[in-house]
């Protein structure tokens, strides 16, 4: 089959990790008989440098014309002092909003081979930890009205607004329940319904959607408690569904339980099959260009792309198995290195994974 892929390497380590992911994708193409045509596009800091804006029109247009988008990472200290709407991060929000990527799937899995890497040393990792954070991505405080004004006697006032509609909550809840059905059939909805009106609507709508999924267990947690439970006993979670900002925070927390942010992929899905796939880590400018970055999160993002946007689950399995096999054979990049293992660079890791695709 033929697929059209928009590729945004971005900044920092973005280009080097994306190169490895494309190497693996090409190998998948030749083993399974698919053709992936690739269009490289600018977004983020490199786009600011090249054309003066983080998300050029052409990038957006080409993304809309593709079957999926693969993104490395955007941002870096160089652009940190620009005003809010000119920053590289604006490219991400623009892509999410304009492409309708309302559902952000962030799996946090502790790999058998990397159990030692778990950063919380007292945690019992003998239990199977496999959490899917389903984060709402085009609503809430990220997209609500914001601004500043001068008050008479209190100085300047700044505000951001948390807004949710029934429809927005309903579709993300359905996504979470559908995913839970293919896993351990448990959904934990996270909100702050003891305080926020938007959370009270969130809870009501999630309850209503749950009626269509009697086979899936639902519970609710306030976000402060959820943050605590994630550290206390992460094995209690299967699917976590939550708002844009709570999901931003909890998915970073969940990633640390796995011990290696360099391992975690993500999918941002629109209605239908379209999606944007990226590692959850950032652009790591401190190690850019040194062949040190871990490409596995980006390679695993390609697996998610094969599964969710291209409906190629056999191919997705092959990529995930190759990653597991490489870990089993002892190959490690610096971030997941431990005594007795084989230290490899970014490119070598890409070659190893591509070679293990069968
Ligand atoms: C993420 C990031 C982004 C977010 C930033 C870079 C805009 O933290 O994808 O989690 O806050 O959504
Ligand atoms: Mg984040």
């Amino acid at each position: 089959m033929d697929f059209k892929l928009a590729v945004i390497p971005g900044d920092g380590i973005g280009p080097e990790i994306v190169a490895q992911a494309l190497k693996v994708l090409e190998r998948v193409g030749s083993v399974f008989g698919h053709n992936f045509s690739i269009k490289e596009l600018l977004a983020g800091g490199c786009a600011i440098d090249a054309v003066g804006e983080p998300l050029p029109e052409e990038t957006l247009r080409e993304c809309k014309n593709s079957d999926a988008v693969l993104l490395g990472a955007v941002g870096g200290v160089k652009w940190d002092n620009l005003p809010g709407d000119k920053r590289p991060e604006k490219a991400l929000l623009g892509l999410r909003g304009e492409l309708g990527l309302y559902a952000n799937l962030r799996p946090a899995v502790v790999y058998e081979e990397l159990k030692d890497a778990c950063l919380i040393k007292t945690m019992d990792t003998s239990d199977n930890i496999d959490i899917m954070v389903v984060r709402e991505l085009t609503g809430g405080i990220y997209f609500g009205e914001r601004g500043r004004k001068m008050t008479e006697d209190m100085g300047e006032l700044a505000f951001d607004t948390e807004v949710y509609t029934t429809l927005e909550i309903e579709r993300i809840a359905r996504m979470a329940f559908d995913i839970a059905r293919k896993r351990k059939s448990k959904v934990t909805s996270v909100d702050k319904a003891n305080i926020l009106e938007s959370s009270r609507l969130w809870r009501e709508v999630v309850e209503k959607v749950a009626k269509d999924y009697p086979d899936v267990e639902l519970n609710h947690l306030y976000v402060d408690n959820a943050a605590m439970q994630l550290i206390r006993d992460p094995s209690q979670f299967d699917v976590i569904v939550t708002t844009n900002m709570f999901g931003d925070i909890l998915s970073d927390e969940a990633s640390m339980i796995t011990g290696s942010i360099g391992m975690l992929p993500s999918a941002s899905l629109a209605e239908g099959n379209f999606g944007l796939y990226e590692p959850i880590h950032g652009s790591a400018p401190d190690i850019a260009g040194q062949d040190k970055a871990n490409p596995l999160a980006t390679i695993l993002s390609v697996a998610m792309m094969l599964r969710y946007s291209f409906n190629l689950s056999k191919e997705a399995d092959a990529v995930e198995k190759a990653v597991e096999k490489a870990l089993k054979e002892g190959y490690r990049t610096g971030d997941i290195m431990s005594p007795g293992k084989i230290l490899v660079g970014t490119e070598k890791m890409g070659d190893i994974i591509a070679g293990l695709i069968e």
Side-chain angles (χ1 to χ4, degrees), residues 89 92-93 96 106 135 142 248:
E89 287 82 357
L92 275 183
L93 291 200
R96 291 170 184 174
R106 296 187 166 185
R135 168 189 177 193
Y142 274 60
D248 178 45

Side-chain angles (χ1 to χ4, degrees), residues 44-45 47-48 52-56 79-95 142 146 148:
I48 297 174
E53 51 181 329
L55 181 58
W79 306 281
D80 269 352
N81 292 321
L82 294 169
D85 60 336
K86 299 253 154 40
R87 293 173 58 104
E89 287 82 357
K90 187 72 194 167
L92 275 183
L93 291 200
L95 285 166
Y142 274 60
R146 73 180 97 249
R148 290 186 184 216

Side-chain angles (χ1 to χ4, degrees), residues 54-328:
L55 181 58
E57 242 340 282
E58 194 212 344
T59 297
L60 201 52
R61 199 177 51 241
E62 290 293 339
C63 287
K64 284 181 179 164
N65 276 329
S66 305
D67 299 312
V69 183
L70 179 68
L71 189 147
V74 298
V77 275
K78 183 174 172 197
W79 306 281
D80 269 352
N81 292 321
L82 294 169
D85 60 336
K86 299 253 154 40
R87 293 173 58 104
E89 287 82 357
K90 187 72 194 167
L92 275 183
L93 291 200
L95 285 166
R96 291 170 184 174
E98 295 288 331
L99 300 172
L101 304 168
Y102 73 93
N104 185 207
L105 277 40
R106 296 187 166 185
V109 178
V110 177
Y111 282 81
E112 196 55 45
E113 296 294 326
L114 295 179
K115 280 198 164 159
D116 296 343
C118 177
L119 291 184
I120 303 165
K121 293 299 174 213
T122 54
M123 186 137 62
D124 180 6
T125 46
S126 57
D127 291 331
N128 198 14
I129 295 167
D130 180 351
I131 304 169
M132 177 69 92
V133 178
V134 178
R135 168 189 177 193
E136 200 290 327
L137 201 60
T138 51
I141 202 163
Y142 274 60
F143 287 85
E145 201 188 324
R146 73 180 97 249
R148 290 186 184 216
K149 51 193 168 206
M150 215 47 207
T151 67
E152 297 222 321
D153 51 0
M154 303 271 284
E156 207 175 352
L157 171 157
F159 65 97
D160 302 89
T161 331
E162 172 87 347
V163 214
Y164 271 111
T165 62
T166 303
L167 193 143
E168 286 174 315
I169 302 164
E170 210 179 299
R171 64 181 180 184
I172 195 72
R174 282 196 191 285
M175 175 71 80
F177 280 100
D178 285 335
I179 289 171
R181 262 190 179 157
K182 296 181 198 142
R183 298 167 46 99
K184 287 179 251 157
S185 292
K186 183 172 176 193
V187 170
T188 302
S189 173
V190 174
D191 61 35
K192 189 71 184 172
N194 47 349
I195 301 292
L196 304 177
E197 200 53 42
S198 54
S199 277
R200 289 192 269 272
L201 180 65
W202 181 278
R203 207 174 262 227
E204 278 164 36
V205 176
V206 171
E207 290 277 352
K208 220 178 92 212
V209 170
K211 294 212 168 74
D212 294 338
Y213 299 82
D215 50 315
V216 178
E217 183 193 339
L218 169 68
N219 71 327
H220 302 275
L221 290 181
Y222 296 140
V223 63
D224 47 350
N225 187 18
M228 181 175 71
Q229 296 298 335
L230 262 173
I231 301 295
R232 201 184 66 81
D233 175 21
S235 67
Q236 70 183 285
F237 294 105
D238 178 20
V239 173
I240 293 176
V241 63
T242 190
T243 62
N244 205 339
M245 187 156 75
F246 295 162
D248 178 45
I249 298 166
L250 293 181
S251 62
D252 266 34
E253 188 187 356
S255 78
M256 272 298 104
I257 295 164
T258 73
S260 44
I261 203 165
M263 292 295 299
L264 300 189
S266 79
S268 303
L269 306 177
E271 233 61 87
N273 291 331
F274 187 82
L276 179 149
Y277 300 83
E278 60 174 321
I280 80 159
H281 61 69
S283 59
D286 53 320
I287 56 163
Q290 298 172 35
D291 197 40
K292 281 186 183 161
N294 184 348
L296 293 179
T298 319
I299 290 169
L300 290 166
S301 299
V302 162
M304 290 187 93
M305 179 174 81
L306 292 165
R307 177 166 293 121
Y308 291 105
S309 280
F310 302 161
N311 271 316
L312 301 175
S313 54
K314 233 180 19 203
E315 290 80 345
D317 288 345
V319 174
E320 285 164 358
K321 287 217 182 79
V323 169
E324 275 167 37
K325 193 141 186 245
L327 293 174
K328 203 158 274 164

